[in-house]
Amino acid sequence: MRTLSMTLLLAALLSGCSGKTPNPPGGTPQTPGETEPPPEEPLPSGPPVPTGPPNVPEFQPAFPGQTRAPAIQTKTALQVTEIASGFRNPWAIAFLPDQRMLVTEKPTGSLYIVTPQGAKSPAVAGLPRVDGRGQGGLLDVEVGPDYAQSGLIYWTYYEPRSGGNGLAVARAKLVDGAQPRVEGVQVIFRMMPTLESTLHAGGRLVFTPDGKLFVTLGERSILEGRVQARDVRSHFGKVVRIHPDGSVPLDNPFVNTEGARPEIWSVGHRNILSAALDRQQRLWTVEMGPRGGDELNRPEAGKDYGWPTIGYGEEYSGSPIHASPQGPGMEQPVYYWDPVISPSGMTFYTGELFPEWRDNVFIGGLSSQALVRLMVRNDRVVGEERLLTDLRARIREVVQGPEGALYLLTDDSNGKLLKLTPR
């Protein structure tokens, strides 16, 4: 029996996903005057990015190309420009309409306004106190879709509470000036239940074109929280979907499920620190795995992504977590990494500065100290690249700017705001 190569298997899989039926051999030729879409470039082939052996080699991918896609290489020469520095472990970037940026500083709970030239405002006054221990503090920030009229910005943070803490989402009006401030702070969502943990609360915000707001959540890492990741009575380990005022959309999947938290969109996640919409306005996420098993997913309404029952990693001690990486009623990741990249921040590239990057996924890599690029075809990863490894920096955030450049934050006590353009 002839054995197909991995590249041919992946090509066959992607052809099947395209929804197109080729003409049979000897079939009717194309009618003169008909037009066909331009042919796509051949799929990448060859060895994957060098990363070392997997932590859990006995767990095999569920389908070809689910991990260790062929290595690809950007042809455009890159220019990295430092815009500003001196941030203490910055976490997120959001662009204001005038191209200034909001930048959060995780452990201090400080928010700054930064000009394109790098001038940094005093810390924005009026934000609530944060629990800045461990992975806590001030996390994501987004400009409201109606900012031109309302002036509202939104942010996530670890909220100190009686009995512990939890992720909260707040919004307020940004008042510009020499001493910027926020007014009318309103907490629109609180992760429940309250638990004492400085780990795994998620925290990314994604607005959709129809005005809804996705919030990604972690399972708090400790066993008491981990076991709630697939439980719809808890927010732990979930993606939630709300209106900008915190109310619940009536078409959420668990609205009519007795005892369920009605904000829940999907369940069975570990700790989602990367989230973005693709060109079709669908949500994609990347979540932190254990020792092995970082996952790229496309969370759909009501679906279960399996953590902690299934997965591709193991405990940091080397002890097993999962009996199998697959299970009935649970979704497979689109792609996974073992060893991990430690993902944080994510964007789909739609700009004009880098034509070869159109519709590619970019993910910040912490332990991998890289900007991770994924080439995606028909919802499958067909190529991977590690960029900016020469910086030797933990990449916390990546966003696309208005002009098509990529903007990055490095996770350091002297964190930097960087701009990536063609040289």
Side-chain angles (χ1 to χ4, degrees):
M1 178 181 293
R2 181 177 295 174
T3 303
L4 290 175
S5 71
M6 181 65 75
T7 301
L8 289 176
L9 278 170
L10 180 57
L13 174 66
L14 291 169
S15 175
C17 291
S18 69
K20 298 177 182 177
T21 303
N23 289 329
T28 304
Q30 184 182 11
T31 302
E34 287 185 3
T35 59
E36 289 185 340
E40 291 185 331
E41 295 181 6
L43 293 176
S45 61
V49 172
T51 58
N55 292 289
V56 193
E58 61 269 27
F59 285 168
Q60 296 299 303
F63 53 83
Q66 194 184 20
T67 191
R68 296 179 182 252
I72 53 178
Q73 186 170 1
T74 294
K75 300 180 180 65
T76 306
L78 304 179
Q79 174 71 43
V80 179
T81 304
E82 181 179 312
I83 296 176
S85 62
F87 298 100
R88 184 177 168 192
N89 302 102
W91 212 89
I93 303 168
F95 277 89
L96 293 167
D98 62 3
Q99 299 193 19
R100 290 180 301 161
M101 290 159 275
L102 300 174
V103 177
T104 62
E105 200 174 68
K106 184 178 76 67
T108 67
S110 298
L111 174 67
Y112 298 95
I113 302 174
V114 185
T115 69
Q117 296 75 35
K120 184 165 57 174
S121 74
V124 175
L127 273 72
R129 187 168 62 92
V130 305
D131 184 342
R133 298 173 298 154
Q135 295 175 1
L138 179 61
L139 305 179
D140 208 1
V141 62
E142 285 291 341
V143 173
D146 63 345
Y147 180 83
Q149 294 76 40
S150 69
L152 290 175
I153 63 170
Y154 295 71
W155 65 92
T156 57
Y157 65 105
Y158 274 45
E159 179 185 51
R161 304 176 188 165
S162 175
N165 55 39
L167 192 89
V169 181
R171 70 177 184 176
K173 182 177 181 179
L174 178 64
V175 180
D176 210 346
Q179 173 55 71
R181 67 187 190 278
V182 291
E183 291 182 347
V185 174
Q186 177 188 13
V187 176
I188 62 169
F189 172 81
R190 285 186 166 96
M191 166 193 272
M192 297 300 289
T194 295
L195 188 67
E196 176 58 41
S197 173
T198 62
L199 304 171
H200 293 197
R204 289 291 174 187
L205 298 171
V206 179
F207 278 103
T208 63
D210 64 355
K212 308 298 192 302
L213 178 60
F214 284 115
V215 187
T216 71
L217 305 173
E219 34 69 290
R220 312 312 312 274
S221 184
I222 60 176
L223 184 59
E224 182 183 352
R226 179 188 286 189
V227 298
Q228 299 179 45
R230 299 179 60 210
D231 185 347
V232 296
R233 297 169 297 180
S234 166
H235 286 139
F236 296 166
K238 310 299 192 298
V239 174
V240 299
R241 177 176 175 255
I242 57 177
H243 289 296
D245 64 358
S247 60
V248 177
L250 296 180
D251 60 346
N252 270 7
F254 297 102
V255 164
N256 298 315
T257 301
E258 185 177 357
R261 304 275 180 181
E263 301 89 354
I264 294 174
W265 177 259
S266 61
V267 311
H269 302 286
R270 186 172 182 267
N271 190 30
I272 302 175
L273 300 183
S274 308
L277 300 181
D278 65 12
R279 191 180 293 276
Q280 298 167 258
Q281 308 305 325
R282 301 174 303 174
L283 179 69
W284 293 68
T285 61
V286 190
E287 64 188 76
M288 289 265 192
R291 189 169 178 258
D294 287 348
E295 293 186 1
L296 171 69
N297 286 299
R298 187 168 66 79
E300 296 183 73
K303 291 193 175 181
D304 180 349
Y305 291 82
W307 176 263
T309 307
I310 62 170
Y312 285 89
E314 63 185 4
E315 302 283 13
Y316 287 101
S317 66
S319 299
I321 302 172
H322 322 288
S324 169
Q326 303 175 43
M330 292 172 280
E331 303 300 312
Q332 280 293 302
V334 173
Y335 194 71
Y336 73 89
W337 292 265
D338 182 8
V340 297
I341 59 171
S342 303
S344 184
M346 178 184 186
T347 194
F348 280 82
Y349 188 76
T350 59
E352 302 294 338
L353 287 182
F354 297 94
E356 64 177 305
W357 286 356
R358 290 298 296 274
D359 297 320
N360 286 192
V361 181
F362 288 84
I363 305 157
L366 295 170
S367 65
S368 53
Q369 297 188 344
L371 178 63
V372 179
R373 172 192 170 209
L374 300 180
M375 181 184 292
V376 178
R377 297 264 186 90
N378 300 314
D379 293 349
R380 291 286 184 261
V381 175
V382 298
E384 180 176 357
E385 182 177 17
R386 307 286 173 92
L387 295 160
L388 308 185
T389 54
D390 56 319
L391 296 181
R392 301 184 184 278
R394 290 163 54 89
I395 306 298
R396 169 62 74 180
E397 169 76 307
V398 52
V399 300
Q400 181 180 311
E403 82 288 35
L406 290 181
Y407 289 77
L408 317 172
L409 290 174
T410 63
D411 179 40
D412 190 83
S413 57
N414 179 25
K416 295 177 172 59
L417 171 60
L418 306 175
K419 180 180 179 180
L420 185 61
T421 55
R423 186 183 298 276

